[in-house]
Amino acid sequence: MLERERIIEIVVAASAVFLMLGTMIAIGSEYGGPESALSATGGEMLVGAIVGFIVLLTAAGIGLAYLLNDPGDGLEDDADAQNAV
């Protein structure tokens, strides 16, 4: 059985991927031209969606690392020990 934290990480990642796929499908259907060619505006929107996806996953990763960090796992002690050396 998976741990609670692992399930939360899977749900957040899968939600972000489904959001990205939905965004890509919406851009393709809105800005698609003849013979399924994407217009220049659609290409710019797609690049913006990819950049937004990267920012979203970065923010989600930092947020999960902050929220799911257990104070008893010793991560803080390792950082203090490295700074002291």
Side-chain angles (χ1 to χ4, degrees), residues 15-33:
S15 299
V17 168
F18 286 131
L19 179 66
M20 179 63 180
L21 288 175
T23 303
M24 292 174 76
I25 290 171
I27 290 171
S29 63
E30 181 70 26
Y31 295 99

Side-chain angles (χ1 to χ4, degrees), residues 34-46:
E35 299 179 18
S36 299
L38 196 61
S39 67
T41 306
E44 292 174 1
M45 295 291 288
L46 190 60

Side-chain angles (χ1 to χ4, degrees), residues 28-80:
S29 63
E30 181 70 26
Y31 295 99
E35 299 179 18
S36 299
L38 196 61
S39 67
T41 306
E44 292 174 1
M45 295 291 288
L46 190 60
V47 169
I50 292 171
V51 170
F53 179 69
I54 292 170
V55 170
L56 174 68
L57 282 184
T58 302
I62 291 170
L64 284 174
Y66 177 74
L67 291 175
L68 298 179
N69 184 19
D70 185 20
D73 64 4
L75 292 177
E76 292 83 11
D77 296 336
D78 292 341
D80 293 337

